[in-house]
Amino acid sequence: MKEKKKLIDKIQKLLAMAKHNASNENEAATALRQAESMMRKHEIDFADVNAQKLSTDDMSEGKTGESRNSSWVWTLAWAASHLTSTLPWRRYGEITFCGTKEDVQVALLMHDYLVGVTERLASKYQGADDDWAHSLRAQRNAFKMGLVRRILERCGDIKDEREEALTKASVSGKDLVIVKSDLIKKSFPMIHYSSPKRQRTECVLSYRNGVRSGNGVSLNDQVGSTKRTMIA
């Protein structure tokens, strides 16, 4: 369907724009808001068609090229999956997204964006003012842990809101949520989709600072807000 492909192309361009304009908070935030809005529109507008016609033949997988076996990178994979109706898995550190071709394409871009934002924020973090017991490296790692945990929580909330909107839009909308998840698992039966585990850290102050920064990363609900300075 040409209209569907055009919509996905626009979403991809907006996510790429958000990544490249990461140093310009306003432009990146605007691009993320538009991409998220289009993703919701895509799900709702094509719910009736997708719920009836999707099959295992429509399922595909895409590799991120990410080989770091880091818990924070894996946590962000689940955050991206919440926003894109996909499921992630990893082997030897390499992360792969499974879902429809369009969803996987967007998930790869979203994950790349979130990893880039996290790295940029962590590199700027200079540690907690009252923490002299831990090295800057340890504090930056704790900061990352708090940051990605908050991003994951916010993406989960967005996922719930989107599914609620789909259910209200039509009966097929609710069916689409179930159909996609079932088809992914059916198409890739040998894959175990393990959720990210919460990590422990002694750098409590830096972890909390990361959580606060996670509230400012542009996803969708806070983009454009005048109450906070957006980061992304």
Side-chain angles (χ1 to χ4, degrees):
M1 186 181 293
K2 291 183 179 180
E3 297 166 352
K4 184 176 180 180
K5 186 179 184 304
K6 286 182 180 179
L7 191 58
I8 294 298
D9 287 343
K10 288 181 180 179
I11 292 172
Q12 290 176 324
K13 289 179 181 178
L14 286 167
L15 288 173
M17 186 185 302
K19 178 186 176 183
H20 292 309
N21 289 335
S23 59
N24 186 318
E25 296 176 6
N26 290 331
E27 290 183 11
T30 299
L32 259 292
R33 180 186 60 187
Q34 292 175 347
E36 164 59 21
S37 176
M38 284 187 177
M39 287 160 67
R40 289 192 184 218
K41 176 178 173 58
H42 161 255
E43 290 278 17
I44 293 173
D45 286 357
F46 296 101
D48 292 334
V49 175
N50 288 339
Q52 296 174 17
K53 295 186 177 181
L54 277 180
S55 69
T56 53
D57 293 335
D58 297 303
M59 298 296 110
S60 66
E61 57 181 356
K63 298 184 182 299
T64 62
E66 177 60 68
S67 58
R68 287 175 293 183
N69 192 21
S70 301
S71 59
W72 70 270
V73 176
W74 177 234
T75 299
L76 290 178
W78 274 96
S81 76
H82 287 338
L83 296 176
T84 55
S85 301
T86 58
L87 284 176
W89 66 282
R90 62 177 174 175
R91 185 180 184 186
Y92 305 125
E94 184 171 26
I95 297 172
T96 300
F97 286 99
C98 299
T100 67
K101 182 179 179 180
E102 295 90 349
D103 289 343
V104 167
Q105 289 173 342
V106 177
L108 291 172
L109 287 168
M110 181 62 75
H111 183 251
D112 185 47
Y113 166 78
L114 292 175
V115 169
V117 169
T118 299
E119 289 178 322
R120 181 168 60 84
L121 292 175
S123 68
K124 291 182 177 180
Y125 183 65
Q126 296 303 311
D129 293 336
D130 297 329
D131 189 349
W132 299 283
H134 302 96
S135 67
L136 178 58
R137 180 179 180 181
Q139 291 188 63
R140 282 180 173 172
N141 286 335
F143 177 85
K144 276 184 181 178
M145 290 165 54
L147 175 64
V148 301
R149 176 54 56 175
R150 183 58 187 140
I151 289 175
L152 177 66
E153 291 172 351
R154 289 181 58 209
C155 288
D157 291 340
I158 292 172
K159 175 178 180 289
D160 293 341
E161 291 171 7
R162 180 182 295 163
E163 291 180 357
E164 183 179 353
L166 275 168
T167 301
K168 290 180 178 179
S170 68
V171 175
S172 295
K174 182 178 181 179
D175 291 342
L176 180 59
V177 174
I178 300 172
V179 166
K180 279 188 175 182
S181 179
D182 288 347
L183 283 176
I184 293 172
K185 294 175 182 177
K186 185 177 180 181
S187 301
F188 306 97
M190 302 303 292
I191 296 175
H192 176 61
Y193 302 101
S194 58
S195 301
K197 297 179 180 179
R198 187 182 293 273
Q199 302 294 309
R200 294 183 179 181
T201 178
E202 295 181 355
C203 305
V204 178
L205 293 176
S206 290
Y207 181 90
R208 290 175 180 172
N209 287 337
V211 171
R212 281 192 285 271
S213 289
N215 285 326
V217 172
S218 299
L219 297 174
N220 87 317
D221 56 332
Q222 295 179 3
V223 173
S225 171
T226 57
K227 295 181 180 179
R228 288 192 183 90
T229 300
M230 294 297 101
I231 303 173

